[in-house]
Amino acid sequence: MAAKILDGRAIAARWRDWAKARVEAFRARTGHVPGLATVLIGDHPASQSYVQAKQNACAAAGIRTFHYRLPAEVDQETVMKLLGTLACNPEVNGILVQLPLPSHLDEEEILSAIPLEKDVDGFHPMNLGRLGLKGRDPYFIPCTPLGILAMLQEAGIPIAGRRAVILGRSRIVGLPMALLLLRLDATVTICHSRTPDLATVTRQADLLIAAVGRPGLVRGEMVQPGAVVIDVGINRVADSQAPRGYRLVGDVAFEEVAAIASAITPVPGGVGPMTVAMLLVNTLKAAQRQLEGFASPWLEDGL
Ligand code: NAD
């Protein structure tokens, strides 16, 4: 079986256009330009390129960005003060603190200082908690899981009643992905670094989502024939032929798994562009909620 390739670049481009059209209509209705503040602490090279990509996408969609770059050794109080200022600034509708943070900073306190209604990454403990509770909506769904949902919806891949296995339990991807799929009535298993015999679990998955950060972790023999495989991993591997001396690969051994799965996301060009597109969607919704009173965190009106 040759898997269908879920083309994240193409789907994300349509969502970016979706957001751009709605940002323009919102500006015409309210006179307000949606604004996103990005906070980057330290000089982690991958984080710099992610923040740059997010800023570029905002600019293309008509969203204003306010960028704050702080040195790696910045103290907690300075970060908290900045977040306090951004929380009160009416031009800033969304606040994004790029993770990971330097280890001396208190991530919990920092993420909890972002007001719920500006938490466009959806990492505030209250937003994460609500995501897991039936009948309680979060203000925002984290961008990577939301982007994966958009891809599954576009490809017509059912979720309810399916067996989903998620590799990774991080706050950014694994845990919110699990909560989201649970909300959507999948039977969910979460695997992590202490899970023994991963293959026995992964082989039961109709939907397998890998968010670990280990190149080629998921091999062909770990996948049930016909499964849908979503590769979230972004790993730099040395490649002397590549212009930058490295290339990007996912957590999935792509060729092997594509021969077995029914659908698969490539890396690059899979989940990554969807994450950026969903940040635009969430920032627009933040502005709508703040100025017009309501915005659903779900993709209910589709493309
Ligand atoms: P993380 O380091 O915070 O979490 C990794 C998780 O993997 C942990 O929960 C850990 O328990 C688990 N793990 C480690 N070894 C394992 C193993 N052998 N088997 C099963 N689970 C194991 O990382 P993260 O922030 O969740 O990111 C994961 C990957 O996804 C990284 O490659 C990151 O670059 C990528 N990422 C991609 C996007 C995107 O938009 N495509 C967004 C965020 C993160």
Side-chain angles (χ1 to χ4, degrees):
M1 185 188 303
K4 176 183 166 124
I5 310 290
L6 303 176
D7 181 350
R9 280 198 188 107
I11 303 170
R14 293 199 282 279
W15 277 104
R16 285 158 72 138
D17 289 346
W18 181 100
K20 183 178 178 181
R22 279 159 184 78
V23 165
E24 176 51 31
F26 174 80
R27 197 193 54 72
R29 265 195 324 273
T30 63
H32 177 83
V33 178
L36 174 72
T38 56
V39 180
L40 175 61
I41 304 177
D43 36 37
H44 194 277
S47 292
Q48 285 178 37
S49 70
Y50 297 151
V51 170
Q52 188 62 56
K54 291 168 185 177
Q55 289 172 347
N56 294 347
C58 281
I63 294 172
R64 236 176 119 185
T65 52
F66 305 83
H67 184 48
Y68 298 85
R69 181 135 190 210
L70 302 173
E73 58 281 3
V74 69
D75 58 38
Q76 182 80 13
E77 202 192 327
T78 307
V79 181
M80 294 300 288
K81 232 185 203 163
L82 171 62
L83 292 176
T85 311
L86 296 175
C88 301
N89 182 345
E91 307 222 297
V92 171
N93 302 112
I95 302 173
L96 176 155
V97 177
Q98 185 67 36
L99 300 179
L101 297 174
S103 56
H104 69 279
L105 293 174
D106 180 344
E107 180 182 297
E108 192 57 35
E109 190 185 34
I110 287 172
L111 295 180
S112 301
I114 299 173
L116 284 180
E117 65 278 10
K118 295 193 178 186
D119 180 34
V120 287
D121 258 342
F123 297 154
H124 190 291
M126 183 82 90
N127 272 327
L128 281 175
R130 286 190 182 176
L131 180 59
L133 294 169
K134 277 220 159 184
R136 301 281 175 90
D137 274 343
Y139 284 63
F140 301 99
I141 298 168
C143 298
T144 301
L146 188 62
I148 292 170
L149 176 61
M151 291 177 104
L152 295 174
Q153 284 182 349
E154 166 119 356
I157 293 167
I159 295 173
R162 312 290 285 177
R163 177 132 201 188
V165 173
I166 296 153
L167 308 184
R169 57 178 163 184
S170 74
R171 179 183 205 134
I172 303 177
V173 194
L175 187 64
M177 190 75 238
L179 296 173
L180 179 57
L181 292 175
L182 195 58
R183 276 287 288 253
L184 299 173
D185 298 324
T187 300
V188 177
T189 303
I190 307 175
C191 299
H192 47 78
S193 54
R194 307 291 294 272
T195 303
D197 194 7
L198 211 54
T200 305
V201 186
T202 58
R203 274 198 290 266
Q204 296 176 31
D206 304 312
L207 175 58
L208 178 60
I209 300 182
V212 173
R214 282 186 50 184
L217 173 75
V218 177
R219 306 296 307 261
E221 71 266 15
M222 296 167 69
V223 176
Q224 173 181 200
V228 172
V229 179
I230 306 292
D231 191 354
V232 185
I234 302 177
N235 307 291
R236 291 184 176 190
V237 295
D239 181 352
S240 55
Q241 309 295 312
R244 293 180 185 168
Y246 67 85
R247 68 197 153 81
L248 296 180
V249 299
D251 289 348
V252 175
F254 184 83
E255 302 295 338
E256 271 178 42
V257 174
I260 295 164
S262 61
I264 188 168
T265 60
V267 177
V271 175
M274 294 303 299
T275 298
V276 177
M278 292 302 121
L279 176 65
L280 306 180
V281 172
N282 279 355
T283 303
L284 165 68
K285 290 183 173 194
Q288 286 176 335
R289 182 185 285 277
Q290 286 155 43
L291 276 90
E292 300 183 308
F294 180 75
S296 162
W298 300 95
L299 301 170
E300 76 295 320
D301 43 356
L303 273 169

